[in-house]
Amino acid sequence: MSAKPTIQFSSLDMPGSGVLVLLAGDGGALPASVPADAAGPLQKVLTVAKFKGRSLSVVESMAPAGSPFDRIVVVGTKGEGAFGEEDWLKLGGTIFSKLKGAETVCVWTEGAAASASATDVATIGLGLLLRAYKFDRYKTKKAKPGEEEEQSETAMTVTLATADPDAARAAFAASEAVAEGVAMARDLVNEPTNVLTTTDYADRIAALADLGLEIEILDEAKMRELKMLALLGVAQGSPMPPRLCIMRWNGGTEGDAPIAFVGKGVVFDTGGVSIKPAAGMEDMKGDMGGSAAVVGLMATLARRSAKVNAIGVVGLVENSVDGLAQRPGDIVTAMSGTTIEVLNTDAEGRLVLADALWYTQERFKPQFMVNLATLTGAIIVALGSEHAGLFSNNDELSARLHAAGLATGEKVWRMPLGAAYDKMIEGKFADIKNVGNGRAAGSITAAQFLQRFVNDVPWAHLDVAGTAMGSPANEYNQSWASGYGVRLLNRLVADHYEAG
Ligand code: BES
Ligand code: MN
Ligand code: ZN
């Protein structure tokens, strides 16, 4: 992540220089508090631009005559009352995109009609930070002259001016924790596999102990002792050793059952012996996107001292292919005792999660488990990158995830489960097989497979193959990896599972 803006808060004191950002309401109305020397020259600019204040539309005025500002940026918020969390986030992102080269910026968050609340102001700040994220650590040269550069390399300070700066500053502390968690998840997904090996990944997780998380890392010997042969079968074709990482955050009441998040961490998915086609295979460096969301979430909960007991569990393996790799037709016994015919070695995520889910419920007896996984190409066919697929045995948990999705913009769409689909994974030689029948209901049969390992614990599976990476850039994400899931689950926790 390259230089991010410094964000600070002030009361509504109009600055005398730098870049001024104003929020305009319906018809381009400016807040009354904007002084005449700024508002006067601007009116003509807005009129000429036929600016109507439409949400997130922008008019810029460079070095306006008779005004002390280098630049005035006006952003529309038409109908501020209807502005939700994601709109404020988009507003922050849109503002950042207009600040190239700026050093001192004031965002005047008092609108013409309603004004941003302390939480809204904090969310604008989060939008600025998420938009500023850039994964450029392997670019040895700066952009060539004339090429678009999203962000200047000069240090930028953005002051958010608001009626109650103390309240906004307090709310922003949590937003900053979220920004760090999202950036971490994006970094992990963007990193190539030769850098983010299973062991390097585990080392990065171990370093989160600095935030107050309790970290435990199980190696292959330990997993063999626990009989995690489904997970180990995937790992056996790679020289990279598998790891199961457990993160604990004990911010809640002692003795309260924890909530648990489980992630698929396939650092690269070649498909194994059932090898994938070459075209696009490079994207499989992101097949650990589910685990990255869990790690980013746990870091966020720790950074904002969330009042909850939470567990994060991620299974880290490489699905590669060598002479020792498992073959189609191999039969493995999962930790739960269930036997599995591995008919397609490319359906490996469910094998990793089978043991991670069983272990999590057996050891921690959680209130619920949410797992995230880039599990199936079929979910991209079904939902694209607009929604993650949600599969669950629990209506309350589903409804809460759905609401958190709408609030944050990290949306989920519930898909069915049922006995008829479960029948499609019955094995010929073993209890179950790791694929369904051909391509029919591919995401659902994958979810049915996972459900075999949750033992009636309230559970939700998010298939994030379409949302974790490769989604189109938007106002608050310009990077290949989105960090999907961190904000969604942080909102779920904040809204329903924190004491006090
Ligand atoms: N990691 C893939 C799913 C995936 C595909 C994620 C595209 C992101 C983008 C998963 O391990 C996989 O290969 N699934 C197979 C399952 C099939 C063999 C039953 C798939 O979707 O084709
Ligand atoms: Mn696969
Ligand atoms: Zn995979």
Side-chain angles (χ1 to χ4, degrees), residues 264 269 271 276 284 287 319 345-349 375:
K264 167 180 173 180
D269 182 10
K276 287 183 180 295
M284 287 301 112
D287 207 19
N319 187 25
T345 64
D346 197 10
E348 84 297 342
L375 204 63

Side-chain angles (χ1 to χ4, degrees), residues 358-382:
W358 186 261
Y359 174 81
T360 302
Q361 62 80 31
E362 181 166 284
R363 175 165 173 202
F364 298 108
K365 309 280 182 244
Q367 295 178 49
F368 68 74
M369 298 193 282
V370 173
N371 78 257
L372 301 96
T374 49
L375 204 63
T376 66
I379 204 69
I380 310 175
V381 177

Side-chain angles (χ1 to χ4, degrees), residues 113-349:
S115 294
S117 73
T119 324
D120 300 335
V121 174
T123 308
I124 296 175
L126 177 59
L128 290 164
L129 292 177
L130 294 186
R131 175 72 181 232
Y133 174 89
K134 208 173 174 186
F135 187 78
D136 59 359
R137 66 178 52 144
Y138 302 109
K139 294 278 193 188
T140 61
K141 295 187 186 71
K142 300 247 184 293
K144 296 187 194 84
E147 272 182 7
E148 264 297 289
E149 249 226 292
E150 170 81 3
Q151 188 193 325
S152 79
E153 297 304 320
T154 49
M156 185 193 297
T157 302
V158 181
T159 302
L160 301 176
T162 170
D164 192 348
D166 290 340
R169 196 178 294 112
F172 183 69
S175 307
E176 238 176 343
V178 172
E180 294 285 338
V182 172
M184 182 171 193
R186 287 178 182 172
D187 276 348
L188 291 167
V189 173
N190 281 323
E191 283 288 9
T193 309
N194 60 328
V195 174
L196 195 78
T197 60
T198 51
T199 46
D200 180 84
Y201 194 174
D203 289 346
R204 293 195 193 195
I205 291 170
L208 295 178
D210 292 349
L211 299 178
L213 288 165
E214 276 174 27
I215 309 291
E216 247 179 278
I217 295 179
L218 311 189
D219 64 6
E220 184 185 337
K222 184 70 194 168
M223 286 189 268
R224 204 162 285 286
E225 214 179 289
L226 289 164
K227 302 195 166 68
M228 295 186 168
L229 299 179
L231 184 154
L232 291 176
V234 177
Q236 78 188 30
S238 167
M240 283 189 213
R243 293 286 184 266
L244 191 85
C245 305
I246 301 136
M247 294 152 270
R248 293 183 86 146
W249 173 249
N250 302 315
T253 309
E254 213 186 307
D256 277 4
I259 59 177
F261 301 94
V262 180
K264 167 180 173 180
V266 175
V267 295
F268 196 85
D269 182 10
T270 66
V273 171
S274 314
I275 200 161
K276 287 183 180 295
M281 205 204 275
E282 64 276 13
D283 286 354
M284 287 301 112
K285 73 174 183 176
D287 207 19
M288 28 56 69
S291 67
V294 171
V295 173
L297 171 72
M298 295 304 293
T300 298
L301 295 179
R303 280 183 202 274
R304 68 176 184 79
S305 300
K307 293 191 179 61
V308 67
N309 296 333
I311 307 279
V313 175
V314 294
L316 311 183
V317 300
E318 182 186 26
N319 187 25
S320 193
V321 53
D322 69 9
L324 298 173
Q326 73 182 338
R327 296 143 290 255
D330 281 5
I331 296 176
V332 294
T333 305
M335 183 187 179
S336 71
T338 300
T339 56
I340 305 166
E341 283 175 55
V342 180
L343 295 188
N344 189 321
T345 64
D346 197 10
E348 84 297 342

